[in-house]
């Protein structure tokens, strides 16, 4: 429940105007006050390193450069023209980015709409009506009294005397009524209710902007990682086909030896089983490749039947040798998700002020100016004009603690937003630390995998040579083939993992959106 009173009402003298002017001055003098906490930008953690031991370069062709800024087109460091083309196509045509851009427009125009509330509201009312009064004279007398109270008889321009009302001359005669009115109202923002609302909406606009940057970063990272995954699958398919060719060659040798009676049939059958097992691994890889192509096509904003032209192989993707790593203190300004969480915290802070201002008294000033007459030509004749000046004050007295609980809810939401912000910062540092440590391990894994594949290939070549002359057992042949096949797959997966973890580091550091060229696709 609230209490409402008209402080100043219609008047014909200076008293009403003086009253309204005094209230207007009082409201204007109080309008600079804004209740609720003011937003204070959180300070980033004072961290010298992302990991306790510092950031050491992984080696094996890759090193970290501390403090260097990240380029906006970081994916160009892979030196792959097909990848660069696909990423730009995705940025131009992916509908998820279009939806994020539209969300910015929604938030922006909501804020602009709220900005209009800070100004006086002006409206025009024009009413034209035709009326027929009842012939009941007793009722007509009452209606005539009410009619004269709100619409005094206009003066005749020739005689200077009041024009008789149609209700007086002929109660049953039809008559017209013309009304033109200008209405002005203004609610001084004494406690900052409207300004806090605008502040909250502007913060939501900023949040939508950073969410767009986050969507861009996620899209580019997904495209790069999906392209690397396609290259990895193609590498595994090539390794599988290679080992199948080796197994077929060995099977031909064993068949010849069997025809000469040099070996038993069991050795031939065992080789056939090994070949069948290798061939069985090929269809699942081909299925993964087809699904990966569908994913890349969708990320590029295309339908599945309009498949992308680009095809990716590990040999076409170069490992970024020099990787820029930002200073830890700058991470909070570079990560879009942290900036979005900060904007959400700002909006929640303003919401507390909105809830508190809603519990305080408010004043509304209004003025109505106009003219009314029975004929349009008489609208501006003497005696047809009128005005109303009013000031309204409203103060909630009892509402079942509704407004108080809304304020408590806003305070709880502020605490929630603060905790979410701190959690986002912690997760961001974890992402960077995970990526740095992964790349350090990946360098050793790739180096080990390459050495293992080379050793396995040399061993297999020796065993195959011995097989031709019957100098080696079939068990040794099977073992060498299996080790080489496994080593080839592990080498492909290790190289792909290192490429993908490099992309994860760029994403964890924010992706360089602050360095984007205005001509780059949005």
């Amino acid at each position: 429940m609230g209490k409402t009173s008209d402080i100043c009402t219609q008047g014909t003298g200076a008293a009403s105007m003086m009253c309204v002017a005094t209230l207007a001055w009082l409201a204007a003098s109080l309008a600079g006050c804004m209740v609720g906490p003011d937003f204070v930008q959180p300070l980033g953690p004072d961290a010298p390193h992302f990991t306790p031991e510092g950031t050491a370069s992984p080696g094996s062709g890759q090193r970290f450069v501390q403090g260097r800024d990240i380029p906006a087109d970081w994916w160009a460091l892979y030196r792959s023209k097909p990848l660069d083309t696909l990423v730009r196509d995705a940025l131009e045509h992916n509908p998820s980015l279009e939806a994020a851009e539209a969300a910015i427009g929604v938030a922006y125009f909501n804020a602009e709409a709220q900005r209009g509330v800070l100004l006086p509201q002006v409206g025009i009312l024009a009413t034209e009506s035709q009326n027929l009064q009842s012939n009941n004279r007793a009722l007509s007398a009452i209606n005539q009294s009410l009619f004269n109270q709100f619409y005094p008889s206009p003066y005749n321009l020739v005689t200077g005397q009041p024009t008789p009302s149609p209700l007086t001359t002929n109660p049953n005669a039809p008559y017209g009524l013309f009304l033109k009115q200008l209405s002005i109202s203004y609610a001084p923002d004494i406690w900052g209710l409207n300004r806090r609302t605008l502040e909250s909406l502007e913060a939501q606009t900023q949040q939508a902007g950073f969410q767009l940057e986050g969507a861009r970063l996620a899209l580019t990272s997904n495209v790069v990682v999906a392209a690397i995954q396609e290259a990895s699958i193609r590498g595994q398919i090539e390794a599988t086909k290679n080992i199948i060719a080796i197994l077929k060659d060995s099977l031909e040798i064993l068949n010849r030896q069997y025809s000469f009676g040099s070996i038993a049939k069991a050795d031939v059958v065992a080789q056939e089983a090994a070949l069948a097992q290798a061939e069985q691994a090929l269809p699942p890889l081909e299925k993964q490749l087809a699904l990966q192509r569908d994913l890349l096509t969708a990320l590029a904003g295309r339908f599945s039947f309009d498949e992308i032209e680009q095809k990716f192989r590990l040999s076409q993707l170069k490992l970024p040798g020099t990787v820029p790593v930002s200073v830890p203190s700058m991470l909070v300004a570079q990560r879009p998700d942290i900036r979005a969480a900060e904007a959400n915290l700002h909006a929640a802070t303003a919401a507390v002020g909105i809830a508190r201002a809603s519990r305080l008294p408010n004043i509304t000033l209004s003025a109505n100016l106009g003219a009314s007459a029975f004929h349009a030509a008489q609208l501006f004749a003497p005696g047809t004009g009128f005005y109303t000046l009013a000031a309204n004050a409203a103060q909630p007295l009892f509402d079942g603690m509704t407004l108080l609980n809304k304020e408590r809810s806003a305070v709880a939401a502020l605490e929630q937003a603060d905790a979410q912000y701190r959690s986002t910062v912690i997760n961001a540092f974890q992402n960077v630390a995970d990526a740095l440590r992964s790349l350090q391990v990946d360098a050793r894994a790739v180096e080990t995998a390459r050495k293992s594949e080379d050793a396995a290939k040399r061993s297999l070549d020796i065993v195959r040579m011995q097989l031709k002359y019957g100098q080696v057992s079939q068990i040794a042949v099977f073992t060498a083939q299996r080790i080489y096949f496994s080593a080839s797959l592990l080498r492909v997966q290790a190289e792909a993992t290192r490429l993908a973890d490099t992309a994860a580091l760029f994403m964890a550091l924010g992706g360089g959106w602050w360095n984007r060229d205005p001509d780059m696709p949005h």
Side-chain angles (χ1 to χ4, degrees), residues 76-206:
L77 298 177
Y78 289 90
R79 290 179 287 174
S80 170
K81 184 63 176 178
L83 179 60
D84 184 72
T85 301
L86 182 60
V87 169
R88 291 180 179 272
D89 286 345
L91 291 175
E92 289 181 358
H93 304 113
N94 191 282
S96 63
L97 291 188
E98 297 176 3
E101 289 178 351
I104 296 178
V106 172
Y108 172 78
F109 289 112
N110 281 336
E112 290 299 300
Q114 178 62 28
R115 197 182 304 276
V117 180
L118 301 176
L119 302 175
Q121 307 297 302
V122 182
I124 297 177
L125 174 64
T127 302
E128 299 180 3
S129 64
Q130 293 295 325
N131 307 277
L132 178 64
Q133 183 65 31
S134 171
N135 200 28
N136 187 315
R137 294 190 176 273
L139 182 60
S140 298
I142 297 175
N143 290 337
Q144 177 66 53
S145 175
L146 295 174
F147 186 87
N148 290 336
Q149 180 179 352
F150 293 100
Y151 302 103
S153 299
Y155 284 85
N156 188 291
L157 295 177
V158 179
T159 63
Q161 299 298 322
T163 302
S165 167
L167 297 181
T168 303
T169 57
N170 190 351
N172 193 240
Y175 65 93
L177 182 62
F178 298 85
L179 173 65
K180 307 296 181 184
Q181 178 176 312
L182 176 67
S183 299
I184 303 174
S185 64
Y186 177 61
D189 195 21
I190 300 176
W191 312 114
L193 173 62
N194 296 328
R195 283 170 290 165
R196 289 297 188 191
T197 303
L198 176 60
E199 180 183 354
S200 175
L201 293 173
E202 288 178 339
Q204 293 174 31
T205 304
Q206 293 178 349

Side-chain angles (χ1 to χ4, degrees), residues 394-467:
Q395 166 63 57
L397 293 180
F398 177 74
D399 60 357
M401 300 184 72
T402 299
L403 295 178
L404 175 61
N405 286 322
K406 285 185 177 181
E407 179 182 342
R408 290 172 176 172
S409 175
V411 172
L414 176 58
E415 295 173 353
Q416 179 187 30
D418 178 69
Q420 290 172 341
Y421 173 81
R422 289 184 281 109
S423 176
T424 303
V425 174
I426 292 174
N427 290 336
F429 272 76
Q430 178 190 355
N431 295 155
V432 177
D434 288 348
L436 292 174
R437 284 175 166 162
S438 296
L439 286 175
Q440 291 168 347
V441 174
D442 291 342
R444 299 195 298 271
V446 169
E447 186 176 354
T448 302
R450 288 174 178 172
K451 290 180 179 180
S452 176
E453 184 184 27
D454 291 341
K457 182 64 168 61
R458 291 194 303 269
S459 174
L460 179 60
D461 290 341
I462 294 173
V463 170
R464 292 178 65 195
M465 183 63 66
Q466 293 174 337
L467 178 64

Side-chain angles (χ1 to χ4, degrees), residues 2 20 28 36 38 45 83 183 242 294 389 392 397 461 474 497 515:
V20 173
D38 293 327
L83 179 60
S183 299
N242 184 33
D294 292 341
L389 300 176
N392 178 274
L397 293 180
D461 290 341
Q474 188 61 25
T497 299
N515 292 323

